[in-house]
Amino acid sequence: MVWWLALLWALLKLIIAFLFIFLTALILIYMLRKVMGHMQYRMGPRHHGPHGIWQTVFDALKLLGKEDIIPNGIDKYVYLFAPVIAFVPSLTIFAFLPFAPKVAASNFEISLFFIFAILGFSTISLLMAGWGSNNKYSLIGGIRGAAQLISYEIPLVLSTMGVVIMAGSLNLTDIVNAQVKIWYIIPQIVGFFLFFTCGLAEINHTPFDIPEAESEIVSGFNTEYSGFRFAAFFLAEFVNLFIICALAVLLFFGGWKPFTNPIAGTICFIAKTYVLIFISMWVRSTFPRFRLDQFMDFGWKFMLPLSLVNIFVTAVVVLIVDKIR
Amino acid sequence: MEVKQYNFKAVDNDKVISLLQDKFKSVGTSEGNFSLNHGQIYCEVSKETIKNTIKMLKNDKDLKFDYIKCITGVDYKEYLEIVYSLYSFDNNYSVNIKVRIDAANPDVDSITDVFWSADWFEREIWEFFGINFKGHPNLKTLLLPGDVDYHPLLKSFEIKWEKREYVRPKVFE
Amino acid sequence: MADEIKNNEIEVDEISAVNEPGDFPKDYMEINFGPHHPSTHGVFRFIAKLDGEKILEVEPIVGYLHRGIEKIAENRTYVQFKPLVDRLDYTGAMNNEFGYCIAVEKLMELEVPLKAQAIRVICAELNRICAHEVFFGAMGLEVGAFTPFLFGFKDREIAMHLMEMLAGGRLTFNYFTIGGVRQDVPKGFYAETKEYLKKFKKNLAEYHELFSGNEIFIKRTKGVGVITREDAIEWSMSGPTLRGSGAVFDIRKVEPYSGYDKYDWEVPVGKNGDVYDRYLVRMNEMAQSARIIEQALESLPEGDHQAKVARVIKPPAGEIYLRVEGTKGELGFYVVSDGTDKPYRMKIRTPSFNHLNALNYVLKNNYIADFPIILGSFDTVMGSVDR
């Protein structure tokens, strides 16, 4: 291939990825409003367009069109770059998510590992936002966020190890292809529970939205942000939700199976993801929030040992099955 | 912590008055000037003995007035008055203790070290009537802004219209 | 505060218990909450000293909603002042009017017709349900669940509609008059109220299902903000807060007014004095209120809805302290009359005032995440604190 054609192809991929991400975020916000609304005996947005489908579009436009307020006394570059660092990793992860066979921007051997590595960046963004804002609420939120993400990243990563052991690969496409006879949700039900819970904690989703607990510390790390910087945080949150659910589908629900056709596979994959997203929204509209110390106890004293036990049991069972064969 | 049932029976006021009179005598505080008004007991004691009286009422085994219903200040122009409305959970007794305070030199002993809840009640009376509570640990304005130099619930305070200019805070400049 | 005031049972960490004046660690953080913080229930402000996530001391600052209602009372006639009483605790306006009206009536030695008494009880209990639904919703918000808020408000809407049928207003009613109520109940009120109560009982079960039994909620609230019964009495706490601490005490039982002794109902009470108990007491109180309304509707007597009262109300000289069970606790009116048509002095004793007084004592050594829950469990309304 000529070099400029390769460049153009890469650019096209990037644009498609961007479009997809923005569309996903908009749809997710709209979906959240509708789902939560109907669970709370109300309608959700109704005014703009049929059933208010343009509401989130206008909201996004409003956020982008707002004045960019930069408070006094901040740590300027830290403050300005925090939303970027929150958003870019979420964007990058999309490069490694296979939607269907051959529908992936990049397919390389340790994609699962790489995704977790990049997901860890959001900790830095929370800390930066908390520190840079020169606001005590933000600071508390940032520190809480850092503590939470670090302690839940470990069980999150460990919970997927069972799947990795069973599939024998860190490549997401291979993991999906390995789920021929049975989806990993059945042998790895504990792993799925761990993954989904820690995943929700990782993206500050209710009941783990401690860094932005609005009743205590106003809005946590993003208290001082407004306009498109706030929009970046907001967008990153929803994109992360999609990523966690998509990962869960890839690891435990057989990805695009039973289809192998790229188009049908993609549709199937996205549909499965949306089912999981719906469940997370259900959780969001039902559960109250943990307190930080209880939450840490839960993470270190329950989730982490459980994930280690899960790895151990899986490894032993896999070994025995191999021996028998 | 166990659940405690309280006595809901109605109380004979005359009995309470005679009991209170006995107690006042035995402790040696001022005898008090009892009266009944709309089925409630009012009792006037002198300013000097108020703290001891209330301490006695709270700690006495037969009375046990352990609850402040309300502390009210009233301005009667010639003198000020503080009314301590006390209640006894165990016996279902109520009593209103009145203290007269000189309007020219208003001060009285604080009862914050007898009842915790007297804190804000006394602060409120201090800022609205200008009655100085001797021994109150934290006598600052509660409901009014910190820089007021008047006591609005005194009868001598007149309500007047006053146009206030909005002063733009310097922070915004 | 005086030295006698001891801390809550929880020990301060060893790190925290270092040197410096006031037993504070050297590097505590001072942080300001309010007056427009999302969970301070109105315009309440406090300055907290934090050691990490732990609260060392709070200093409540009130007065942002001070309207001088007690001074206004001295410059208005008894009738003119009545609408202002609604503005004290604006979630339980009927109960405020209740207290004010029977205080003045007792001062005048006025008999209220039985029918008016029953209507008043219905109104007050409906309003109590409304106020506790607000509490339920706010409690949900404070622990981070949004759904209870809307559940509570949806139900409250219908109750407010019922009161709108009676009074024409939804939040501030001005429905009670001195000597009765302003007008008789309209047609269809009984049927609608009965229907509402039926629905309400179903909804209450749903609230419990959604929220009261939730693991996280129980974990957040059990054992948090414990107040012993003795301390609650010492701090002049009242109403559901006192009952949550294990005192079977309700002014409607102890000093029955307006015929509360005719109805058969129970006083819900908690055992541990923590936030969860206060929450449960309020939830159970709603069921009891529904019970009272049902009985009052069934046994509604015939007759006038208002006693014959002179046009200008001039109570004889005298004074009275009268208390009723408001939605948040003991609501007292100390009225001094000098025989004219204006009160000489009107002191309003509100429950929230005393609950906030105890805030430092209760919040000390709790986590910062618990402050909205503890504050919310008192269900303070700033309108009644600042007056």
Side-chain angles (χ1 to χ4, degrees):
Chain A
M1 210 183 286
V2 219
W3 64 269
W4 56 267
L5 207 61
L7 193 69
L8 213 65
W9 181 229
L11 264 178
L12 193 70
K13 272 185 188 173
L14 197 67
I15 288 166
I16 290 172
F18 255 109
L19 277 180
F20 181 79
I21 287 164
F22 280 109
L23 205 64
T24 310
L26 288 185
I27 291 172
L28 285 187
I29 296 169
Y30 175 74
M31 183 179 162
L32 176 73
R33 287 175 167 180
K34 275 292 180 193
V35 168
M36 272 183 88
H38 282 278
M39 282 182 179
Q40 295 163 344
Y41 293 106
R42 58 195 176 88
M43 305 295 284
R46 285 287 294 176
H47 280 285
H48 303 292
H51 287 268
I53 53 168
W54 303 124
Q55 178 78 40
T56 47
V57 179
F58 288 141
D59 264 358
L61 287 178
K62 178 209 73 175
L63 273 179
L64 293 177
K66 266 187 168 178
E67 186 192 346
D68 181 22
I69 299 170
I70 298 174
N72 281 339
I74 53 165
D75 196 338
K76 200 166 180 190
Y77 293 103
V78 177
Y79 175 85
L80 294 184
F81 277 105
V84 179
I85 294 193
F87 188 60
V88 167
S90 317
L91 202 75
T92 321
I93 288 170
F94 266 89
F96 306 106
L97 281 182
F99 280 52
K102 287 174 195 156
V103 188
S106 164
N107 180 19
F108 80 126
E109 280 311 310
I110 49 164
S111 49
L112 182 65
F113 174 77
F114 200 73
I115 284 173
F116 284 133
I118 294 177
L119 210 57
F121 267 92
S122 47
T123 319
I124 299 173
S125 79
L126 291 196
L127 266 180
M128 283 171 73
W131 175 255
S133 301
N134 188 23
N135 179 323
K136 285 168 180 172
Y137 296 120
S138 302
L139 186 62
I140 295 176
I143 302 276
R144 278 180 175 192
Q148 167 177 345
L149 295 195
I150 287 169
S151 49
Y152 269 72
E153 206 139 270
I154 300 163
L156 177 72
V157 174
L158 290 183
S159 66
T160 58
M161 284 304 118
V163 172
V164 172
I165 290 169
M166 287 181 80
S169 168
L170 276 169
N171 186 331
L172 283 167
T173 316
D174 288 352
I175 289 174
V176 173
N177 286 334
Q179 305 180 42
V180 197
K181 283 183 199 148
I182 197 166
W183 290 353
Y184 283 154
I185 175 75
I186 294 162
Q188 283 290 324
I189 179 82
V190 180
F192 171 68
F193 162 73
L194 286 167
F195 179 84
F196 201 60
T197 320
C198 298
L200 292 185
E202 185 74 14
I203 56 173
N204 303 333
H205 191 280
T206 318
F208 310 109
D209 53 344
I210 296 166
E212 41 192 313
E214 59 145 27
S215 59
E216 301 140 29
I217 47 173
V218 189
S219 190
F221 59 89
N222 58 28
T223 306
E224 291 288 347
Y225 284 91
S226 61
F228 70 91
R229 288 182 210 285
F230 174 71
F233 274 118
F234 203 56
L235 222 60
E237 192 186 320
F238 281 93
V239 172
N240 283 342
L241 176 65
F242 185 87
I243 288 168
I244 288 294
C245 292
L247 268 181
V249 167
L250 288 172
L251 293 173
F252 298 98
F253 289 96
W256 50 85
K257 304 270 168 181
F259 300 98
T260 44
N261 178 331
I263 295 167
T266 308
I267 292 169
C268 175
F269 170 73
I270 290 177
K272 282 177 184 173
T273 309
Y274 271 89
V275 170
L276 274 188
I277 288 172
F278 174 78
I279 290 173
S280 78
M281 283 173 180
W282 194 351
V283 167
R284 191 177 186 137
S285 53
T286 317
F287 280 110
R289 183 188 308 124
F290 271 107
R291 198 172 68 203
L292 187 66
D293 59 320
Q294 295 167 345
F295 173 71
M296 289 300 201
D297 276 2
F298 187 60
W300 288 104
K301 293 179 187 164
F302 180 72
M303 302 297 263
L304 186 60
L306 192 64
S307 57
L308 288 174
V309 168
N310 184 41
I311 294 175
F312 179 74
V313 171
T314 315
V316 168
V317 169
V318 165
L319 264 181
I320 292 170
V321 169
D322 274 6
K323 276 271 149 58
I324 290 168
R325 274 184 197 156
Chain B
M1 209 186 303
E2 86 286 8
V3 171
K4 191 163 182 189
Q5 191 82 37
Y6 286 107
N7 178 16
F8 290 168
K9 276 176 206 141
V11 186
D12 182 16
N13 278 329
D14 296 332
K15 218 181 79 188
V16 181
I17 289 179
S18 64
L19 189 64
L20 278 171
Q21 271 166 342
D22 282 355
K23 291 288 173 192
F24 277 26
K25 259 180 218 159
S26 68
V27 179
T29 49
S30 65
E31 274 197 24
N33 196 352
F34 288 90
S35 61
L36 265 176
N37 196 350
H38 299 289
Q40 291 183 352
I41 303 166
Y42 292 83
C43 163
E44 253 188 74
V45 298
S46 67
K47 195 174 92 177
E48 287 74 31
T49 56
I50 179 66
K51 193 170 165 182
N52 284 334
T53 311
I54 290 194
K55 210 180 252 173
M56 184 273 288
L57 288 173
K58 188 187 175 190
N59 296 331
D60 192 275
K61 269 180 203 157
D62 301 331
L63 296 172
K64 268 194 188 167
F65 282 101
D66 49 2
Y67 178 80
I68 296 185
K69 287 200 283 194
C70 184
I71 302 179
T72 314
V74 191
D75 178 15
Y76 286 108
K77 285 174 189 160
E78 301 89 47
Y79 59 93
L80 301 172
E81 194 176 79
I82 298 183
V83 188
Y84 299 85
S85 307
L86 305 180
Y87 179 71
S88 158
F89 269 87
D90 291 332
N91 307 318
N92 196 9
Y93 297 162
S94 293
V95 69
N96 300 301
I97 307 284
K98 284 183 172 183
V99 191
R100 271 190 195 205
I101 290 162
D102 188 15
N105 181 23
D107 62 344
V108 70
D109 284 331
S110 164
I111 59 160
T112 38
D113 40 358
V114 185
F115 279 104
W116 297 346
S117 59
D119 185 2
W120 277 23
F121 279 130
E122 288 185 350
R123 268 172 81 180
E124 198 193 349
I125 292 173
W126 172 76
E127 69 176 348
F128 283 154
F129 290 93
I131 297 173
N132 188 25
F133 286 88
K134 288 183 285 186
H136 191 289
N138 186 23
L139 219 47
K140 324 191 261 193
T141 51
L142 183 66
L143 300 179
L144 298 177
D147 56 347
V148 293
D149 51 353
Y150 47 78
H151 303 294
L153 279 182
L154 290 176
K155 291 283 171 187
S156 56
F157 176 82
E158 277 173 33
I159 298 174
K160 44 185 186 230
W161 290 101
E162 176 190 330
K163 200 183 170 193
R164 283 202 173 185
E165 293 290 327
Y166 171 66
V167 186
R168 194 175 160 85
K170 274 190 179 158
V171 185
F172 296 124
E173 272 142 28
Chain C
M1 290 287 336
D3 296 333
E4 289 167 26
I5 297 175
K6 52 181 189 295
N7 295 351
N8 275 3
E9 255 73 349
I10 314 155
E11 289 277 328
V12 186
D13 281 352
E14 278 171 33
I15 315 159
S16 315
V18 221
N19 57 51
E20 284 302 291
D23 287 339
F24 285 166
K26 261 183 187 161
D27 46 350
Y28 61 83
M29 179 160 91
E30 217 172 31
I31 187 168
N32 175 62
F33 285 93
H36 53 247
H37 188 273
S39 63
T40 50
H41 288 238
V43 280
F44 171 56
R45 174 180 170 213
F46 67 87
I47 297 169
K49 289 180 177 140
L50 301 181
D51 173 26
E53 290 258 332
K54 193 168 270 182
I55 298 173
L56 297 172
E57 190 188 70
V58 298
E59 189 196 349
I61 298 165
V62 296
Y64 290 93
L65 206 57
H66 181 58
R67 293 150 293 177
I69 281 187
E70 288 175 13
K71 185 70 182 176
I72 296 172
E74 292 172 14
N75 296 288
R76 298 195 174 206
T77 65
Y78 286 94
V79 179
Q80 281 172 341
F81 177 60
K82 191 163 54 62
L84 284 174
V85 179
D86 285 337
R87 273 83 179 162
L88 290 171
D89 168 4
Y90 36 78
T91 58
M94 287 281 193
N95 285 282
N96 300 346
E97 289 178 27
F98 210 152
Y100 175 72
C101 287
I102 59 176
V104 177
E105 280 154 14
K106 192 121 184 244
L107 209 55
M108 295 165 68
E109 303 283 353
L110 188 74
E111 272 298 313
V112 181
L114 286 176
K115 185 175 185 184
Q117 286 188 5
I119 296 173
R120 281 177 170 191
V121 168
I122 292 170
C123 293
E125 295 308 313
L126 266 180
N127 210 309
R128 194 183 306 280
I129 290 178
C130 282
H132 288 348
E133 307 248 33
V134 176
F135 163 80
F136 171 70
M139 200 68 202
L141 279 188
E142 269 138 20
V143 291
F146 191 52
T147 311
F149 181 73
L150 288 149
F151 273 43
F153 270 64
K154 176 188 69 106
D155 228 29
R156 177 174 177 252
E157 197 64 32
I158 314 172
M160 293 217 296
H161 169 71
L162 288 174
M163 286 187 290
E164 193 183 356
M165 284 174 85
L166 293 170
R170 284 158 50 83
L171 202 63
T172 51
F173 306 102
N174 194 17
Y175 179 57
F176 291 17
T177 56
I178 291 158
V181 292
R182 203 171 65 219
Q183 60 212 16
D184 207 345
V185 285
K187 255 186 205 164
F189 178 76
Y190 299 131
E192 277 201 34
T193 312
K194 271 177 187 163
E195 204 177 316
Y196 166 70
L197 288 178
K198 221 183 278 169
K199 252 189 233 162
F200 168 73
K201 278 177 188 165
K202 230 167 70 190
N203 288 342
L204 196 64
E206 198 181 353
Y207 297 166
H208 281 304
E209 211 172 302
L210 170 75
F211 202 53
S212 308
N214 190 307
E215 276 295 324
I216 301 174
F217 178 64
I218 293 174
K219 223 176 167 185
R220 283 297 301 274
T221 49
K222 272 236 158 130
V224 170
V226 176
I227 308 170
T228 62
R229 190 180 61 242
E230 290 78 18
D231 288 354
I233 290 172
E234 181 80 34
W235 279 114
S236 285
M237 288 175 174
S238 50
T241 313
L242 179 61
R243 288 195 281 280
S245 294
V248 189
F249 182 82
D250 193 312
I251 296 164
R252 289 171 290 173
K253 285 270 192 206
V254 181
E255 293 164 6
Y257 50 91
S258 202
Y260 266 113
D261 43 349
K262 282 186 292 191
Y263 309 116
D264 171 37
W265 57 284
E266 285 153 20
V267 182
V269 64
K271 273 184 188 146
N272 306 317
D274 53 13
V275 174
Y276 190 68
D277 274 3
R278 271 168 250 154
Y279 164 82
L280 269 193
V281 163
R282 284 202 167 84
M283 298 302 279
N284 294 337
E285 235 175 66
M286 285 204 273
Q288 298 300 333
S289 289
R291 237 173 109 182
I292 295 175
I293 297 172
E294 265 175 0
Q295 293 171 38
L297 279 178
E298 264 165 36
S299 63
L300 197 78
E302 292 293 310
D304 279 341
H305 61 275
Q306 199 166 20
K308 286 203 166 54
V309 189
R311 189 152 293 196
V312 182
I313 288 167
K314 282 187 182 171
E319 57 201 287
I320 190 166
Y321 177 80
L322 200 131
R323 54 178 184 169
V324 295
E325 184 75 26
T327 52
K328 317 280 184 277
E330 174 180 336
L331 179 73
F333 287 85
Y334 191 91
V335 190
V336 181
S337 160
D338 57 350
T340 60
D341 58 348
K342 290 174 182 170
Y344 188 76
R345 167 87 171 104
M346 167 88 61
K347 158 85 185 175
I348 303 160
R349 182 258 199 237
T350 50
S352 304
F353 186 77
N354 292 66
H355 294 158
L356 282 191
N357 188 4
L359 196 66
N360 182 31
Y361 166 78
V362 186
L363 278 186
K364 230 181 213 175
N365 292 334
N366 275 305
Y367 288 105
I368 187 148
D370 287 335
F371 105 76
I373 302 172
I374 294 173
L375 188 62
S377 74
F378 292 148
D379 200 9
T380 49
V381 171
M382 291 318 286
S384 75
V385 176
D386 295 345
R387 299 188 298 267

